[in-house]
Amino acid sequence: MAQPPALVLNVPETPEDQGSCDEGEMHRSFHQLLQEQSQCVAEEGLELQPRGPGARAPTASESDRQALLGPEGAVVHSTATLRILASMPSRTIGRSRGAIISQYYNRTVRLRRRGSRPQLSHPGRSARPSLRLYDLELDSAALQEEEKRVLLVKELQGLTVAQRDHMLRAMPLSLAEKRCLREETLTPREKRWGQRGRRGRLSCCSRLRYACVLTLLAFNALLLLPLLAFIVGVQAAFPPAGSGPVRAFTGLELLTGGGRFTDTVMYYGYYSNTTLNQPCAPPPDGGQCTPEGGGLPYNMPLAYLFTVGAAFFITCITLVYSMSRSFGESYRVGSTSGAHAITAFCSWDHKVTQKWASRLQHDKIRTHLKELLAEWQLRQGSRGVCGRLRRAALLALVWLLCLGITFGCTVAVYIFSELLVEQSPVSAEREEAQLALPLVVCLLNLGAPYLYRCLAALERHSSPVMEVCVAVCRNLILKMVILGILCYHWLGRRVGALKDQCWENFVGQELYRLMVMDFLFTLLDTFFGELVWRLISEKKLGRGKPEFDIARNVLELIYGQTLTWLGVLFAPLLPAMQIAKLLLLFYVKKMSLMANCQAPHRPWLACHMSTVFVSLLCFPSFLGAAIFLCYAVWQVKPSSVCGPFRTLDTMYEAGKVWVRRLEKAGPRVSWLPWVHRYLVENTFPIYLVSALLLAVIYFNIQVVKGQRKVICLLKDQISNEGEDKIFLINKLHSVYERKERGRVGGAQEAAMPLNLLTDDRDAW
């Protein structure tokens, strides 16, 4: 096929074209674009045929069809203009199937390079799409596209399952294309496992893997592993000498945590305050063992203190990282303009196929729109002065009632704890009486949230998110205040009342009892409370299954994790109990949710829920537990009859004793006392680190502000680019119109002498 000549627009310039908007300059700007597109236009059968002198004038309908309106009206372009516009880079990005396959083929190749895997040979030329070659990708042959697809499948097969799934999810292809690619990349074994998974029969390992995704399991695992390695395991290998007969196991220990469990690695009092060392074999010459002969000594008090501190530090770093990552995923930099349109037109999940899932999706979108409209109405301030006063009075009254309930629960816990302190000392024969305080605390934590829900019905919040936040805040205040009263009871009252006993064991047992009672009350509420409420809602009220209360269940998880962090110093194996508790509650709650509850209509977005959960874990929960433990380490005198710090005034003195021993050990370790003196005891490094931290925070804030400004500038630039396109398209179309008018006018002038000659002949 002969190559058609490139179309050149020769439009003569007139004096009116020499204004500020030079059409000749516009003509030169589009000249190269038209030349590049002429070949593609010819192949598609859309060749721009120049009109000859004898061409007829366009009719009125054709003129209307080719008319180009401005920004105020609708735009209707000619066929050639539409072809050029469709080939513009901004309109082809993400639309070309071949370009997408090429792009992700290059990504998989780079990923395999980083993984040090053998790499397939590259195609003849680079398959990376560019803005200049997107039109070539659009018009590429099917054979080339299929070759790229085969290469992409081979590269995907070389990746791990997680990397492959992540790459497929990120591809801007249709679901049908993704399913085909997934099926082609699966091995026969993976296909068999996939068929089993679709039938709903997952293996035990798969179920355990999905259950271990829970955030709290990771935190407890990070806390438990160093405790097992450096405290529990070492003390179990070198048990202390027994101080009396071993108590018999009665079964009541499972509830009280005392009895047989007291003299085990479960509690603080079992650990020795000596330096553990393996005995050395005597030398052959009959001499004495040297200090190096028995191996390295293991200072149990120092190991106990540093291991707990290091575990808390690792947990703190993990929490801060999780919270920052969660905030980054939930709250993007920039404004939220256009959220209504995005929710209405872009939030539907087209993977949903079942009727109940589509109904749930519909309810979520509707509720989200309701929230956006409620926030907009709140900003508009449509209420009058009297309406605002009535609303404020109602909210104040409900809050006063809720705070009154919280205050009453706090006073009840305080009075009951004081009665227990004044009643009688703790004895092994009356351990079952120690279940009274945990029982009262769990009853209050269970009953008060229901009263809060009844009062919340009076508020009638227009925004579901506001309703949930208020409920979380009230329940959080209740639980944190009660825990504060208990901390005062343990470190303020029990330490003085248990002078000749191991008060650390008592605190560990109290936290053990609270955890066990909380677990039992959660099971009872799940099996009976939710079941009874479902029967009442279905049989009596006719409303169907009740909604799953996510706010209350989230706070229950946070409350249990707080108990674990509070007790890790006095009972090092509490994280193991928490892991077992979380696994059991996961399956119990799952069964109850499927049988007794329905999904909530509130739009609980996963990223926002994770952000709220991690934030509550970090600030009220972990920070409060850290303050409690720091006070116990630095200020409270340890027991003199048990534990690794029995001969010291405070637990923190174990570090000072170790430093004094190092100073006498010799010059080889003299740098360690210097580090302790100038970096630990000196306050200047703390101030320096604090100043650096504040500087980093300030710089990050400024960076975020700069990003916001750049985003605003980019939005303005995008708007200006759109206006520039409209302007240039208008100019291009005006060139077409003037050229057509010039040709039509020339044809009419040429036809006029012939018409005059015909008239003269008729006159003759």
Side-chain angles (χ1 to χ4, degrees):
M1 177 179 177
Q3 298 292 334
L7 176 65
V8 180
L9 298 179
N10 297 320
V11 181
E13 295 184 359
T14 59
E16 62 181 9
D17 296 330
Q18 303 300 328
S20 58
C21 301
D22 190 359
E23 296 176 358
E25 186 68 21
M26 181 275 304
H27 164 72
R28 288 189 295 272
S29 300
F30 276 86
H31 176 70
Q32 184 178 0
L33 176 62
L34 293 173
Q35 284 182 331
E36 293 176 356
Q37 296 297 326
S38 59
Q39 177 64 31
C40 299
V41 171
E43 293 177 0
E44 294 289 336
L46 299 176
E47 187 174 357
L48 297 179
Q49 300 293 342
R51 294 181 181 272
R56 65 178 179 86
T59 62
S61 60
E62 293 175 347
S63 300
D64 295 338
R65 191 182 304 115
Q66 292 182 356
L68 182 65
L69 301 180
E72 295 87 8
V75 181
V76 180
H77 305 300
S78 63
T79 305
T81 306
L82 287 175
R83 173 60 186 168
I84 295 174
L85 293 177
S87 302
M88 292 178 66
S90 61
R91 300 198 178 191
T92 57
I93 293 177
R95 295 187 180 183
S96 172
R97 181 172 173 269
I100 293 170
I101 292 177
S102 300
Q103 178 184 4
Y104 280 90
Y105 165 73
N106 291 332
R107 290 188 183 181
T108 53
V109 169
R110 291 194 296 270
L111 189 60
R112 284 168 57 86
R113 283 180 180 176
R114 290 197 297 267
S116 300
R117 294 188 176 93
Q119 182 177 327
L120 296 175
S121 59
H122 289 281
R125 63 175 181 85
S126 175
R128 182 191 300 271
S130 64
L131 295 180
R132 298 285 296 178
L133 295 178
Y134 261 89
D135 57 332
L136 298 180
E137 294 289 343
L138 280 171
D139 299 330
S140 61
L143 181 60
Q144 295 179 357
E145 182 176 328
E146 187 62 27
E147 291 178 356
K148 295 173 185 176
R149 180 187 178 89
V150 172
L151 290 174
L152 176 62
V153 170
K154 291 181 180 180
E155 291 293 338
L156 287 173
Q157 288 175 346
L159 301 178
T160 62
V161 177
Q163 291 174 340
R164 187 193 311 163
D165 292 342
H166 178 74
M167 186 69 69
L168 287 172
R169 282 195 298 267
M171 288 184 181
L173 296 173
S174 63
L175 272 179
E177 290 288 342
K178 291 183 180 181
R179 289 195 187 100
C180 292
L181 286 174
R182 187 185 298 274
E183 291 295 331
E184 292 177 6
T185 55
L186 289 178
T187 61
R189 181 180 178 183
E190 291 175 346
K191 290 181 180 179
R192 291 195 299 269
W193 280 106
Q195 293 174 357
R196 293 182 183 180
R198 284 192 292 271
R199 290 194 297 265
R201 297 198 300 266
L202 293 177
S203 63
C204 296
C205 295
S206 299
R207 291 197 298 269
L208 181 61
R209 181 185 63 183
Y210 293 142
C212 289
V213 174
L214 296 174
T215 306
L216 290 178
L217 289 178
F219 290 141
N220 286 282
L222 288 175
L223 190 62
L224 180 63
L225 290 178
L227 295 176
L228 289 176
F230 299 104
I231 299 180
V232 179
V234 175
Q235 190 63 68
F238 299 94
S243 58
V246 179
R247 302 180 186 180
F249 182 78
T250 62
L252 189 62
E253 293 89 345
L254 296 176
L255 292 177
T256 63
R260 181 68 180 86
F261 290 165
T262 303
D263 300 326
T264 61
V265 292
M266 182 72 186
Y267 295 112
Y268 164 93
Y270 180 79
Y271 295 88
S272 62
N273 64 333
T274 59
T275 299
L276 305 179
N277 199 355
Q278 292 181 352
C280 68
D285 56 359
Q288 296 182 352
C289 293
T290 61
E292 294 80 4
L296 294 176
Y298 195 85
N299 193 328
M300 179 54 68
L302 190 65
Y304 198 99
L305 182 64
F306 280 4
T307 302
V308 174
F312 258 74
F313 181 75
I314 294 173
T315 305
C316 179
I317 296 299
T318 308
L319 269 174
V320 172
Y321 173 76
S322 301
M323 186 175 62
S324 62
R325 185 175 180 180
S326 231
F327 269 103
E329 294 176 356
S330 301
Y331 305 102
R332 303 297 182 185
V333 179
S335 63
T336 58
S337 60
H340 300 78
I342 294 174
T343 304
F345 298 106
C346 304
S347 59
W348 184 260
D349 188 359
H350 294 276
K351 299 188 296 295
V352 173
T353 57
Q354 299 181 358
K355 186 176 181 180
W356 66 269
S358 61
R359 189 184 302 112
L360 178 61
Q361 185 85 359
H362 176 270
D363 293 338
K364 287 184 177 181
I365 296 175
R366 180 183 60 187
T367 310
H368 194 193
L369 287 173
K370 181 181 176 182
E371 290 175 5
L372 295 174
L373 293 176
E375 294 176 0
W376 178 78
Q377 291 176 357
L378 185 62
R379 290 193 299 266
Q380 295 296 324
S382 57
R383 291 178 179 268
V385 178
C386 296
R388 292 180 183 178
L389 290 177
R390 286 195 299 268
R391 181 67 177 171
L394 178 61
L395 294 178
L397 177 62
V398 174
W399 269 102
L400 285 176
L401 292 176
C402 293
L403 292 178
I405 294 172
T406 304
F407 180 75
C409 295
T410 305
V411 172
V413 172
Y414 176 77
I415 294 176
F416 196 81
S417 62
E418 289 295 323
L419 290 176
L420 291 178
V421 171
E422 297 174 0
Q423 185 178 7
S424 62
V426 180
S427 61
E429 292 77 12
R430 299 187 56 188
E431 287 185 351
E432 64 275 3
Q434 301 300 323
L435 292 173
L437 182 60
L439 182 63
V440 171
V441 171
C442 290
L443 284 174
L444 294 176
N445 284 331
L446 181 63
Y450 287 100
L451 297 177
Y452 293 156
R453 291 178 66 179
C454 295
L455 292 174
L458 302 175
E459 294 176 322
R460 298 179 181 177
H461 289 287
S462 58
S463 174
V465 170
M466 178 61 68
E467 180 182 352
V468 173
C469 291
V470 169
V472 169
C473 182
R474 289 168 181 169
N475 287 275
L476 185 66
I477 291 174
L478 172 68
K479 296 182 183 296
M480 292 300 109
V481 171
I482 290 179
L483 285 179
I485 294 298
L486 291 177
C487 292
Y488 168 75
H489 167 70
W490 295 326
L491 297 186
R493 300 289 292 164
R494 284 297 184 180
V495 171
L498 302 174
K499 293 182 180 179
D500 299 332
Q501 301 182 39
C502 188
W503 64 265
E504 292 91 348
N505 277 6
F506 174 79
V507 174
Q509 292 171 4
E510 282 279 277
L511 288 162
Y512 176 93
R513 289 188 284 267
L514 282 171
M515 184 177 294
V516 171
M517 295 302 294
D518 178 69
F519 175 68
L520 294 179
F521 271 78
T522 303
L523 291 181
L524 291 175
D525 180 58
T526 302
F527 285 126
F528 296 102
E530 294 181 357
L531 176 61
V532 172
W533 183 243
R534 178 179 70 86
L535 294 177
I536 294 175
S537 179
E538 287 182 345
K539 304 299 182 181
K540 300 297 182 181
L541 302 179
R543 300 177 180 175
K545 293 182 180 180
E547 293 184 3
F548 185 73
D549 193 350
I550 297 181
R552 183 170 61 86
N553 285 274
V554 164
L555 288 176
E556 288 178 358
L557 293 176
I558 294 175
Y559 175 74
Q561 188 60 41
T562 307
L563 293 178
T564 304
W565 283 331
L566 289 173
V568 70
L569 180 65
F570 311 106
L573 290 181
L574 277 185
M577 289 184 54
Q578 177 69 1
I579 291 176
K581 173 186 171 184
L582 288 173
L583 289 175
L584 290 174
L585 284 180
F586 175 80
Y587 291 105
V588 170
K589 288 289 184 181
K590 179 182 178 181
M591 294 171 57
S592 177
L593 173 62
M594 301 300 293
N596 301 323
C597 302
Q598 64 175 339
H601 294 290
R602 299 182 180 92
W604 283 99
L605 299 179
C607 55
H608 292 173
M609 190 62 209
S610 177
T611 302
V612 173
F613 181 65
V614 176
S615 300
L616 293 178
L617 270 179
C618 186
F619 288 110
S621 179
F622 181 80
L623 183 61
I627 293 174
F628 171 79
L629 294 183
C630 288
Y631 179 79
V633 169
W634 264 274
Q635 297 295 329
V636 183
K637 181 178 174 59
S639 299
S640 58
V641 295
C642 67
F645 310 104
R646 65 190 69 177
T647 60
L648 304 175
D649 292 334
T650 61
M651 298 181 185
Y652 177 71
E653 284 191 1
K656 296 182 179 180
V657 172
W658 177 67
V659 170
R660 287 196 292 266
R661 291 179 181 176
L662 288 178
E663 291 176 349
K664 300 177 182 179
R668 291 182 300 174
V669 291
S670 60
W671 60 275
L672 289 175
W674 182 89
V675 170
H676 183 271
R677 184 181 303 111
Y678 291 102
L679 297 183
V680 178
E681 293 185 348
N682 194 4
T683 58
F684 176 75
I686 298 178
Y687 292 139
L688 180 61
V689 172
S690 302
L692 292 176
L693 181 61
L694 292 176
V696 170
I697 293 174
Y698 174 78
F699 288 143
N700 286 333
I701 292 174
Q702 295 302 317
V703 167
V704 172
K705 288 183 178 179
Q707 290 176 349
R708 288 196 180 101
K709 293 180 180 179
V710 170
I711 288 174
C712 293
L713 293 176
L714 290 176
K715 288 182 178 179
D716 294 339
Q717 184 177 353
I718 291 173
S719 178
N720 294 333
E721 289 291 337
E723 294 178 359
D724 291 344
K725 288 181 181 179
I726 294 175
F727 171 77
L728 293 175
I729 291 171
N730 286 330
K731 290 297 181 181
L732 177 62
H733 193 77
S734 64
V735 169
Y736 283 127
E737 288 185 342
R738 280 197 300 272
K739 185 175 181 180
E740 293 297 331
R741 287 197 300 267
R743 289 175 179 174
V744 171
Q748 292 178 353
E749 291 178 358
M752 285 180 63
L754 182 60
N755 293 336
L756 292 176
L757 181 60
T758 303
D759 294 340
D760 293 342
R761 289 179 179 177
D762 294 339
W764 282 101

